[in-house]
Amino acid sequence: MKVGYYPGCSLKGMEDAYSISLISSFKVLGIELVEIEDWNCCGASVIPSYDYKFANALAARNLALAEEQNLRTIIAPCSECYNRLAYINYKMKNDAGYMEKMNKILSEAGLEYRGTVEVKHAVDFLVNDFGIDKIKEKVKNPINKKIASYYGCLFVRPREISVESAENPKTMDSLVEALGGTPVDYDGKTKCCGASLVVSNEKVGLQTIKNVLDSIKETEAEIIVTSCPLCHANLDTQQLTIEKEFKVNYMLPVMYFTQLLGLALGLSEREVALNKNLTYEVLKV
Amino acid sequence: MIAEEVSKISGENPFACFQCGDCTGSCPVSFAMDYGPRRMIHLIQLNLEEEVLKANTHWLCASCYNCTYRCPRNISFTRISYALRNISVKRGIYPNKTTKIFYEIFLDHMLKYGRFNEGIFVREFVAKGGKGLKELLRDINLGLKLWKKGKIPKDVDKIDKLDQIKKIYEACVKEEKEDKQ
Ligand code: SF4
Ligand code: SF4
């Protein structure tokens, strides 16, 4: 099975543990990812802050490229990328006037988008399109742990592109269960980690991350799984900073859902780049 | 008028708001905001431009879409935040130096590489003084840990058809100029 792939900048950079584990674990499942040729940055939250229209047109260029390259479905593993691409896709498909406006801009670059592409978050694709049963069949090493799935914001909100209810999402929990884990329930599943606030306003940014970690700490979770490089960097990389700044102790190992998936499917820690997580050592104590 | 400008950029109608406060109640950052989303919308309705642009609200917004998801009037304060930042940036108003440097490098990368280039970003960000000394020292410490793990900011390839990005940007800038006339 082949599916289009929009990696985004983070997965090509510091958060490559996500792309490494995505590619290796999907391969075991027989899913081949076809990268959109010459894709550009989705604009993240910075370009829309600078120039909203330009940001939307940047997202539209990626859709036009995918269409030109005959990719009917593209998966975006980064929730921010997913959000940007899926929303513009929704707008263009459902608002003819908007479609025309965007295409007027794209035409300056010799591009056009007709609305034939579907954008999916990687978790959504895996659980709802590929299917839980097929994953279960391939599990070799069930993960016998209590696991908190952290959904964050951008694939459950806004409504137009929401994969499922933002109040109590279940997709990742059902994956965790299929992999042999025990999902834990907590009220911070879709609480915001502050995204890039930690760069622009560190004090507030660290506080929002702390709020999420606090709500997970109250549960019996042994592992946190993430589905977004921004959430991951915040909960994993910044966990140590927060422990120092606030004099707290979490010791909560964080991993991408694709790393958990790969391990359950029998891949080695190296094959899913597990040791790249800053909280990796915590897992070993 | 600020209300009109916001509508034009974001596509949202601030006058549809009936001040229920669901947005502020749902906002994870309201604790640090000068005004929560509800009060901000009220100020926009009243066209109190100076008051609006002076607030830190739109700069602290983390674009989490909680307000948008819960609003019974289907208004997206997230997109209104984006619009307020667009308006501020055009007038050279930033909440702090860090944000200004962060934004400027990001846009530059978009036009120069078509992608965000972490490796170059870190070097430029530090060189331009985007970090205070205390944070810098702490980050160097963290950086060493990351580096040991092979987690280093990489230089990504630039895209082939960079001219397309430039043309798209120019088209947006041109449309805006025409709009103003
Ligand atoms: S939730 Fe909507 S209607 Fe209620 S105050 Fe906020 S913007 Fe206004
Ligand atoms: S999108 Fe911004 S204003 Fe709305 S709830 Fe999130 S942080 Fe608050």
Side-chain angles (χ1 to χ4, degrees):
Chain A
M1 170 186 226
K2 279 189 187 182
V3 66
Y5 174 39
Y6 177 85
C9 305
S10 285
L11 272 78
K12 288 284 176 180
M14 267 168 88
E15 293 305 321
D16 61 354
Y18 196 6
S19 49
I20 292 167
S21 55
L22 175 80
I23 293 166
S24 64
S25 60
F26 273 39
K27 196 170 164 202
V28 179
L29 297 173
I31 309 167
E32 190 193 329
L33 301 169
V34 185
E35 190 169 321
I36 303 174
E37 269 173 52
D38 214 39
W39 59 270
N40 58 266
C41 169
C42 74
S45 62
V46 177
I47 305 296
S49 303
Y50 223 104
D51 187 328
Y52 198 58
K53 198 191 278 171
F54 178 46
N56 296 344
L58 284 172
R61 176 178 180 268
N62 289 314
L63 299 172
L65 293 186
E67 187 170 77
E68 199 178 82
Q69 293 163 29
N70 282 318
L71 301 168
R72 291 289 133 139
T73 304
I74 52 170
I75 61 162
C78 167
S79 297
E80 178 88 72
C81 301
Y82 167 72
N83 190 283
R84 296 296 311 147
L85 300 185
Y87 184 71
I88 296 309
N89 197 30
Y90 170 88
K91 275 281 273 183
M92 288 179 79
K93 283 186 185 183
N94 291 283
D95 179 343
Y98 192 74
M99 178 76 125
E100 199 183 313
K101 264 192 216 157
M102 276 290 130
N103 270 324
K104 197 174 154 233
I105 296 171
L106 287 180
S107 71
E108 295 282 330
L111 294 163
E112 191 201 3
Y113 180 56
R114 292 182 323 255
T116 62
V117 175
E118 211 184 345
V119 183
K120 292 244 161 180
H121 190 282
V123 175
D124 182 25
F125 174 79
L126 184 67
V127 173
N128 299 321
D129 295 352
F130 183 77
I132 285 286
D133 292 338
K134 277 200 267 173
I135 301 169
K136 262 191 203 156
E137 279 167 24
K138 297 238 161 115
V139 171
K140 280 197 187 135
N141 303 322
I143 313 278
N144 194 10
K145 297 247 186 217
K146 298 191 188 77
I147 296 170
S149 298
Y150 177 62
Y151 293 79
C153 306
L154 298 174
F155 84 85
V156 289
R157 289 187 292 263
R159 248 170 248 277
E160 294 87 336
I161 59 149
S162 179
V163 172
E164 58 185 324
S165 155
E167 307 296 355
N168 191 14
K170 297 266 189 229
T171 315
M172 276 207 279
D173 294 282
S174 64
L175 177 66
V176 161
E177 224 162 17
L179 302 179
T182 311
V184 303
D185 218 6
Y186 65 106
D187 64 7
K189 276 180 172 181
T190 61
K191 205 178 236 175
C192 177
C193 72
S196 62
L197 259 184
V198 77
V199 182
S200 54
N201 190 321
E202 195 181 86
K203 206 169 144 235
V204 182
L206 291 177
Q207 183 63 50
T208 47
I209 302 168
K210 183 174 180 290
N211 292 344
V212 174
L213 288 170
D214 283 348
S215 95
I216 298 175
K217 191 67 190 170
E218 279 172 20
T219 69
E220 292 183 327
E222 296 164 276
I223 295 175
I224 304 175
V225 285
T226 54
S227 53
C228 166
L230 243 88
C231 300
H232 190 86
N234 279 343
L235 299 186
D236 181 62
T237 314
Q238 300 293 348
Q239 192 178 128
L240 309 178
T241 312
I242 292 170
E243 286 182 334
K244 255 194 206 150
E245 294 275 313
F246 293 87
K247 305 208 169 32
V248 284
N249 201 1
Y250 293 115
M251 301 281 281
L252 282 166
V254 187
M255 59 176 83
Y256 286 109
F257 79 93
T258 45
Q259 292 179 312
L260 192 80
L261 172 69
L263 293 175
L265 295 175
L267 294 176
S268 67
E269 290 189 354
R270 253 200 80 202
E271 284 168 307
V272 297
L274 199 67
N275 67 341
K276 283 204 167 191
N277 298 330
L278 247 85
T279 51
Y280 170 71
E281 280 71 24
V282 178
L283 201 60
K284 303 281 151 185
V285 290
Chain B
M1 298 289 237
I2 193 89
E4 204 182 311
E5 245 181 297
V6 163
S7 283
K8 188 137 210 220
I9 298 169
S10 65
E12 301 296 319
N13 176 11
F15 293 102
C17 167
F18 56 21
Q19 294 285 298
C20 69
D22 273 6
C23 47
T24 304
S26 313
C27 177
V29 208
S30 60
F31 70 91
M33 288 170 170
D34 291 337
Y35 308 108
R38 177 190 68 81
R39 286 180 74 189
M40 273 301 266
I41 295 191
H42 192 209
L43 294 173
I44 294 169
Q45 289 173 340
L46 296 172
N47 272 311
L48 293 173
E49 180 171 319
E50 214 189 306
E51 203 71 21
V52 168
L53 294 183
K54 245 186 6 213
N56 66 1
T57 306
H58 43 293
W59 293 108
L60 285 178
C61 169
S63 319
C64 73
Y65 290 91
N66 256 315
C67 49
T68 309
Y69 194 83
R70 300 237 172 96
C71 175
R73 300 287 293 155
N74 211 8
I75 299 163
S76 172
F77 188 76
T78 318
R79 290 192 272 273
I80 291 181
S81 265
Y82 277 140
L84 291 173
R85 291 188 198 178
N86 280 202
I87 295 165
S88 304
V89 165
K90 297 237 160 69
R91 302 180 192 183
I93 308 169
Y94 287 89
N96 51 42
K97 193 174 145 199
T98 309
T99 306
K100 182 167 190 277
I101 296 170
F102 180 32
Y103 277 31
E104 285 173 353
I105 300 175
F106 205 113
L107 181 70
D108 185 55
H109 283 203
M110 203 68 235
L111 299 173
K112 259 208 304 238
Y113 314 112
R115 291 180 189 168
F116 179 64
N117 201 316
E118 281 169 1
I120 299 176
F121 171 77
V122 172
R123 296 194 287 278
E124 290 174 343
F125 193 63
V126 172
K128 290 190 174 176
K131 281 264 171 190
L133 194 62
K134 183 176 155 257
E135 290 82 19
L136 194 61
L137 286 173
R138 195 192 59 209
D139 287 359
I140 287 172
N141 215 322
L142 182 64
L144 280 173
K145 272 193 208 133
L146 290 166
W147 185 69
K148 272 194 213 137
K149 291 191 163 280
K151 213 166 172 160
I152 29 180
K154 284 189 214 88
D155 292 348
V156 298
D157 299 332
K158 85 174 177 217
I159 67 168
D160 291 334
K161 293 180 182 134
L162 204 54
D163 58 310
Q164 290 185 347
I165 306 286
K166 282 188 191 128
K167 282 182 183 145
I168 289 172
Y169 185 60
E170 280 157 17
C172 294
V173 173
K174 200 174 121 211
E175 270 190 15
E176 186 175 314
K177 269 197 197 132
E178 284 168 2
D179 271 359
K180 281 236 166 86
Q181 279 159 12

